[in-house]
Amino acid sequence: MADAADRTDTRYHPVDIEGKWQARWEAENLFARKDPAGPEKSYVIEMFAYPSGDLHWGHVRNYTIGDTFARYQTARGRNVFHPFGFDAFGLPAENAAIKRGIPPADWTYSNIANMTGQLKRLGYSYDWDHTLNTCDPEYYRWNQWLFLKFFERGLAYKKRSYLNWCPEDQTVLANEQVVNGACERCGTPVVKRELSQWFFKITDYADRLLDNHSQLDWPQPVIDMQRNWIGRSTGALIDFALDAPFEGENLSVFTTRPDTLFGVTYMVLAPEHPLVQRVREAFPAESDRIQAFVDEVAHESEIDRTAEDRPKVGIPLPISAVNPANGERIPVWIANYVLVEYGTGGVMAVPAHDERDFAFAKAYGLPIREVIRPAEGAPSAELAEAYTAPGVMADSGPFTGVSNEDGKGKVIAWLEGQGKGKGTVNFRLRDWCISRQRYWGTPIPILYCDRCGIVPVRAEDLPVTLPTDVAFTGKDNPLATSAAFVNATCPKCGGPAKRETDTMDTFMDSSWYFLRYLNPKDDGKAFDAADVEAWMPLDMYVGGREHATMHLIYARFFTMALHDMGLLTFDEPFRRLFNQGILTQGGSKMSKRGNATPPNQLLDKYGADACRLFILFVAPPEERTEWNEAGVEGSFRFLSRVWRFVTQERRPGGAFAETDEPVRRVLHRTIQKVTADLDGLRYNTAIAAMMELMNALSGAELSDAAHSEAAEALCQMLAPFAPHFACETWERLGHAETLYRGAWPAFDAELARENEVEVVLQINGKVRDRMTIPAGVSAADLEAMARSNDKVLAALNGKQIRKVIAVPDKLVNVVIG
RNA sequence: GCCGAAGUGGCGGAAUGGCAGACGCAACGGUCUCAAAAACCGUCGGGGGCAACCCCGUGCGGGUUCGAAUCCCGCCUUCGGCACCA
């Protein structure tokens, strides 16, 4: 590119102005956090970035939506806080270390530097004095502090359970990180392993996570996804008495269909159910046979386990139980279709009214007893499939003849009266497993002492920093390879202790970063109560829908837990959420995993402003759209035309001419529309409206006054979209102050109103004529005009006018028949 | 299977009960130029007609309405989420 000095033309050259304004903004400290007192505060962020290496157009779309929103809020006079940071822990850094021998920290910090440069080049209005990287000890020490708080409250606990294990990444995964039975990150099929891990008690908050949805200004699909994920079911816990050798003990099961209790013909336990091992001990002769089946199921991968056509298999156990409803003895089986993690890990089987139980009973010749019948029609001879629709209870003792919906509550009450069961709710949501056997994360601040057991690190000893003398083999937990890290002293007894070598799930980092943004350099506390009180909750959170059941649930849980600890006064972090639509490339999502296009080339060629404008113009921000760079040219052309218009040589001042009126009407209508569209985040149509305005201005003869009015309004309207361009043209119009705060054009309502309208004349719903008339002509007058219209008279031809529908300023429809 | 979103020109999209295709891209024709770029002007859903005009057209089939891309019922397709959750 040539220097500005070489040019003789006065055309729009973005490279000449973008660096200049970025430097100016920085020198003026324009984007510094404002005082939250005074006009309404507006805390706006986009979901922070994983430092994967390069920005791609998907990021550009996300951040441009947020920046346009933030800049518009400022233009409207609000006090905006708009920070950015990096979600810097995670596996890719560690994989780079394993594959290329680069320390994870080096890889991460160099990516952060690179991406920060790209973000600055795009001219986003971030307050870089309030940034954070989650891999800094100054950040993660507060993760550890928060972990200790959760531990004190009993919200963090260690337990042994069956967990998702990724053999490739050599770590456990949360349920949320298993996608179609495979590791969300590397795609390797996940297997179940019994392991001892750290959990957060998110299930304590299941009901609140659902109930609070009504307070949130969020896209409904995200709320629906969370509701599905949490999966609340209402039903009953029912106790089935066990026979010898477990007499006196109960087998408790969860069911949503207590109304089918009289139809139970067997019971099924998950192979991992604790009772199974006790049965093996009680029946040594059966032990090997049982264990063989348990092993067979356990070794299936998660993909095989969840396959749709997976056959249901099981074996009977040498024990039986008693149906509390009718005293009947029924067999107890173990089978692969019962999940240990849900409910009690065992079910009562009602083959007549449950598809799974039906298939299993058919396969193993177990009895099928029909106890719900359709309200009308004769009882069927033999069921061909499970009957799961509503009906009337049959062969159900005192409940026979009751509708099954009423029966649910009645059976529960009856069981409660006898102490054999109770109504309850059950959730699909599991506690959040937060420990990972990886290096590049926050060390869990826990010690294991032979004498004192599990001992938390003292708060004053934080941070527990990541050691650098570790070996990355891709197999063992790297922290365990640092003797200096592992060997520690017990703070309770002073004896030798071993450090926990697991690190935290990185979703821990993102669960509270929006609190830390306010005081990222404060080394005395995790966050400042007064600042949090002043700025939280977030007024706008912009990010992708893929976080619906992960980050967005975890962060809500965190906020609720901190609220209950008295650390926050609110319990929902994100008042308003906006999901940008995904950007596809070749039909699939643009992402760091393959098909991403970086913005650099187009930035070089057209500048940041044209790129920003284009990414908002292509589609409504919430819609998925296919990336096609061909259109950037159009945005650049538009800015070039505005440039030429605004930079015309004009004398300042003067009066409006009569001939200005039509164009001024367009201008004021445009200001009205752009304002409304920005309020509704309809950026694509706002830009289209400005283009239409430019088209109207192009051919018009304008007075100096009208030219100046239009030029200033255009600069102001473009400011949130094309900030460098707007600042430069604003300056060239003679303004000394940088165009940023409180500079939004007002529209004259009188001028914005249409004075002349084209009214469509329809005959039997088809357009037959158009009439240009003054706005506001009444329906009665329109009808009279229609009745005397030539086309109507010609169409009549002996027929009659049956009806006339007149909509002022829109149309008249004459129905002839 | 369950929950959700979406289907409109060659392309991205506009119009959410009232002129379908705004705005932009691409394409085509023209002006300017020695030439090119840039810029500007024009054409641009399909069919018919010399023409004024006419007919068809918003995934498919019905319906409501004076009038439906838009509302209702039933399908199809694509995408996202959940899925042996008892």
Side-chain angles (χ1 to χ4, degrees):
Chain A
M1 283 272 178
D3 286 334
D6 295 342
R7 296 217 177 84
T8 51
D9 63 79
T10 54
R11 280 183 292 161
Y12 167 48
H13 293 290
V15 284
D16 296 348
I17 61 170
E18 291 182 354
K20 163 187 162 183
W21 284 100
Q22 283 159 20
R24 183 88 68 91
W25 297 335
E26 201 171 328
E28 290 183 18
N29 206 12
L30 208 60
F31 308 133
R33 193 178 85 194
K34 304 303 182 300
D35 180 358
E40 298 168 68
K41 64 93 182 177
S42 188
Y43 184 5
V44 180
I45 59 175
E46 298 97 63
M47 289 180 187
F48 65 168
Y50 181 76
S52 52
D54 271 303
L55 238 46
H56 58 67
W57 281 100
H59 294 115
V60 175
R61 189 180 196 196
N62 187 181
Y63 307 146
T64 303
I65 291 166
D67 195 54
T68 301
F69 184 88
R71 284 179 177 272
Y72 175 63
Q73 295 303 310
T74 302
R76 298 310 301 265
R78 305 219 165 85
N79 285 328
V80 171
F81 178 41
H82 187 215
F84 195 83
F86 288 93
D87 187 13
F89 272 139
L91 262 175
E94 207 168 324
N95 290 337
I98 295 165
K99 284 187 196 127
R100 292 184 271 154
I102 310 165
D106 293 5
W107 184 87
T108 304
Y109 282 103
S110 96
N111 285 345
I112 288 173
N114 181 49
M115 290 171 81
T116 301
Q118 290 178 309
L119 291 166
K120 289 190 172 175
R121 190 165 172 204
L122 277 149
Y124 296 133
S125 60
Y126 295 131
D127 176 354
W128 287 108
D129 285 336
H130 290 83
T131 187
L132 56 84
N133 301 326
T134 58
C135 65
D136 287 342
E138 292 72 32
Y139 185 83
Y140 70 69
R141 84 177 267 194
W142 301 110
N143 273 349
Q144 293 170 338
W145 184 81
L146 287 163
F147 176 92
L148 296 177
K149 286 277 167 200
F150 278 64
F151 183 77
E152 274 169 32
R153 301 267 307 187
L155 287 171
Y157 66 98
K158 198 168 193 190
K159 77 167 173 191
R160 223 176 152 68
S161 77
Y162 286 87
L163 291 161
N164 307 298
W165 175 262
C166 173
E168 170 67 25
D169 291 341
Q170 292 280 316
T171 185
V172 297
L173 300 169
N175 274 336
E176 289 80 356
Q177 291 161 330
V178 179
V179 178
N180 295 327
C183 173
E184 182 243 352
R185 207 148 253 306
C186 67
T188 307
V190 164
V191 294
K192 287 281 183 199
R193 275 206 186 174
E194 195 190 10
L195 295 159
S196 184
Q197 297 289 317
W198 287 96
F199 287 84
F200 277 172
K201 248 179 177 264
I202 193 170
T203 51
D204 277 5
Y205 288 81
D207 262 323
R208 195 147 148 212
L209 287 165
L210 289 171
D211 293 345
N212 275 10
H213 276 146
S214 59
Q215 311 168 16
L216 303 176
D217 180 6
W218 281 25
Q220 191 59 39
V222 175
I223 289 176
D224 291 344
M225 281 163 74
Q226 291 200 342
R227 192 176 291 140
N228 269 339
W229 184 262
I230 295 166
R232 186 180 202 272
S233 305
T234 309
L237 268 178
I238 302 180
D239 295 327
F240 286 67
L242 287 168
D243 283 338
F246 303 113
E247 54 271 79
E249 291 187 45
N250 284 323
L251 182 53
S252 184
V253 295
F254 174 73
T255 181
T256 55
R257 294 297 303 274
D259 53 315
T260 63
L261 183 59
F262 287 82
V264 174
T265 55
Y266 63 103
M267 302 190 77
V268 194
L269 303 180
E272 301 90 344
H273 193 287
L275 186 61
V276 175
Q277 293 306 321
R278 294 178 57 211
V279 171
R280 282 183 63 213
E281 286 160 24
F283 297 90
E286 307 269 9
S287 175
D288 288 353
R289 182 182 68 96
I290 295 169
Q291 190 58 37
F293 179 79
V294 171
D295 288 344
E296 186 189 316
V297 175
H299 288 137
E300 273 187 282
S301 77
E302 196 61 16
I303 289 180
D304 292 337
R305 264 189 165 227
T306 53
E308 213 161 317
D309 50 358
R310 184 198 195 203
K312 292 177 175 44
V313 295
I315 57 168
L317 291 179
I319 57 169
S320 57
V322 178
N323 185 334
N326 53 19
E328 217 173 306
R329 290 184 58 177
I330 51 174
V332 178
W333 288 58
I334 53 177
N336 64 347
Y337 75 99
V338 174
L339 308 173
V340 70
E341 316 99 78
Y342 187 75
T344 64
V347 300
M348 61 179 220
V350 188
H353 305 296
D354 181 277
E355 285 163 17
R356 298 152 300 182
D357 297 340
F358 187 87
F360 192 76
K362 280 283 183 190
Y364 290 93
L366 291 157
I368 297 172
R369 184 179 305 151
E370 194 180 355
V371 293
I372 308 288
R373 300 230 165 85
E376 283 165 31
S380 47
E382 196 187 345
L383 284 172
E385 56 179 4
Y387 179 77
T388 55
V392 176
M393 294 171 72
D395 296 332
S396 294
F399 306 102
T400 301
V402 174
S403 97
N404 80 301
E405 287 303 325
D406 294 343
K408 288 178 181 174
K410 289 185 172 164
V411 170
I412 290 172
W414 184 67
L415 287 169
E416 280 174 350
Q418 303 173 61
K420 290 179 176 173
K422 58 175 184 178
T424 188
V425 291
N426 209 6
F427 296 92
R428 214 196 65 101
L429 183 73
R430 312 283 152 77
D431 274 343
W432 173 17
C433 173
I434 60 126
S435 44
R436 296 292 179 273
Q437 290 68 54
R438 300 313 321 162
Y439 168 77
W440 195 232
T442 305
I444 295 174
I446 288 288
L447 295 160
Y448 300 97
C449 170
D450 284 344
R451 246 186 296 179
C452 312
I454 293 179
V455 181
V457 173
R458 286 178 306 189
E460 60 266 35
D461 294 337
L462 298 179
V464 177
T465 46
L466 277 171
T468 49
D469 60 333
V470 295
F472 295 106
T473 61
K475 286 197 180 128
D476 305 312
N477 184 336
L479 284 183
T481 67
S482 168
F485 177 81
V486 172
N487 297 311
T489 306
C490 173
K492 255 193 198 165
C493 70
K498 301 268 186 209
R499 277 194 199 283
E500 169 65 66
T501 55
D502 284 356
T503 51
M504 298 179 198
D505 181 6
T506 57
F507 279 110
M508 174 91 187
D509 313 346
S510 52
S511 292
W512 68 284
Y513 74 107
F514 40 88
L515 303 175
R516 184 70 184 167
Y517 267 151
L518 290 157
N519 299 87
K521 295 167 193 163
D522 188 338
D523 59 6
K525 49 194 177 302
F527 49 83
D528 182 273
D531 277 337
V532 164
E533 183 67 25
W535 285 98
M536 286 295 293
L538 280 163
D539 298 278
M540 176 57 94
Y541 196 27
V542 182
R545 189 162 295 179
E546 68 275 14
H547 290 104
T549 57
M550 294 195 257
H551 163 57
L552 290 172
I553 286 190
Y554 297 142
R556 292 183 60 215
F557 154 66
F558 238 74
T559 304
M560 288 173 189
L562 295 179
H563 169 271
D564 292 353
M565 293 174 202
L567 295 171
L568 298 175
T569 58
F570 51 90
D571 68 354
E572 283 291 342
F574 314 129
R575 182 179 290 156
R576 187 171 179 197
L577 175 73
F578 186 86
N579 279 148
Q580 85 275 9
I582 61 172
L583 197 61
T584 59
Q585 175 104 304
S588 57
K589 184 187 171 185
M590 197 184 279
S591 77
K592 52 202 169 215
R593 284 163 226 172
N595 60 345
T597 310
N600 303 13
Q601 281 190 356
L602 295 183
L603 283 172
D604 288 344
K605 193 166 175 195
Y606 299 108
D609 287 329
C611 287
R612 292 172 55 127
L613 202 62
F614 176 64
I615 197 68
L616 296 181
F617 179 62
V618 273
E622 69 278 11
E623 295 291 334
R624 136 193 291 265
T625 191
E626 172 75 10
W627 171 245
N628 176 6
E629 66 176 48
V632 186
E633 179 84 36
S635 296
F636 179 76
R637 280 203 279 257
F638 165 63
L639 289 178
S640 300
R641 293 177 70 199
V642 176
W643 179 274
R644 259 179 282 132
F645 176 78
V646 173
T647 58
Q648 280 174 23
E649 291 284 341
R650 290 280 189 162
R651 269 188 300 277
F656 290 118
E658 209 168 303
T659 49
D660 293 335
E661 190 182 311
V663 177
R664 293 191 66 219
R665 285 187 175 280
V666 176
L667 173 67
H668 285 264
R669 263 204 302 282
T670 304
I671 297 171
Q672 184 176 34
K673 175 163 174 61
V674 171
T675 304
D677 279 354
L678 278 171
D679 287 335
L681 282 89
R682 292 184 295 271
Y683 298 141
N684 55 324
T685 50
I687 294 165
M690 289 187 278
M691 288 173 166
E692 286 182 71
L693 170 63
M694 191 59 238
N695 290 344
L697 292 170
S698 289
E701 289 287 328
L702 291 175
S703 68
D704 287 335
H707 177 272
S708 151
E709 181 190 32
E712 298 210 338
L714 257 175
C715 291
Q716 291 175 319
M717 285 191 287
L718 275 168
F721 300 95
H724 317 82
F725 176 96
C727 283
E728 177 69 21
T729 47
W730 186 250
E731 186 183 56
R732 287 175 183 235
L733 285 170
H735 299 278
E737 195 183 342
T738 303
L739 177 61
Y740 182 57
R741 271 181 79 72
W744 193 252
F747 60 90
D748 179 327
E750 190 52 45
L751 275 171
R753 194 172 299 134
E754 300 275 358
N755 61 336
E756 246 186 6
V757 289
E758 191 177 73
V759 169
V760 170
L761 178 83
Q762 293 184 338
I763 298 175
N764 291 343
K766 303 211 177 215
V767 180
R768 283 296 177 269
D769 203 1
R770 292 152 210 278
M771 308 180 286
T772 301
I773 57 171
V777 171
S778 72
D781 290 348
L782 278 179
E783 180 169 343
M785 289 165 78
R787 282 179 182 276
S788 60
N789 181 280
D790 291 346
K791 305 248 173 167
V792 172
L793 295 174
L796 267 178
N797 193 22
K799 287 178 240 166
Q800 289 196 332
I801 294 179
R802 298 201 177 271
K803 199 170 179 181
V804 178
I805 292 100
V807 183
D809 299 344
K810 288 259 165 81
L811 58 50
V812 202
N813 187 12
V814 182
V815 185
I816 293 174

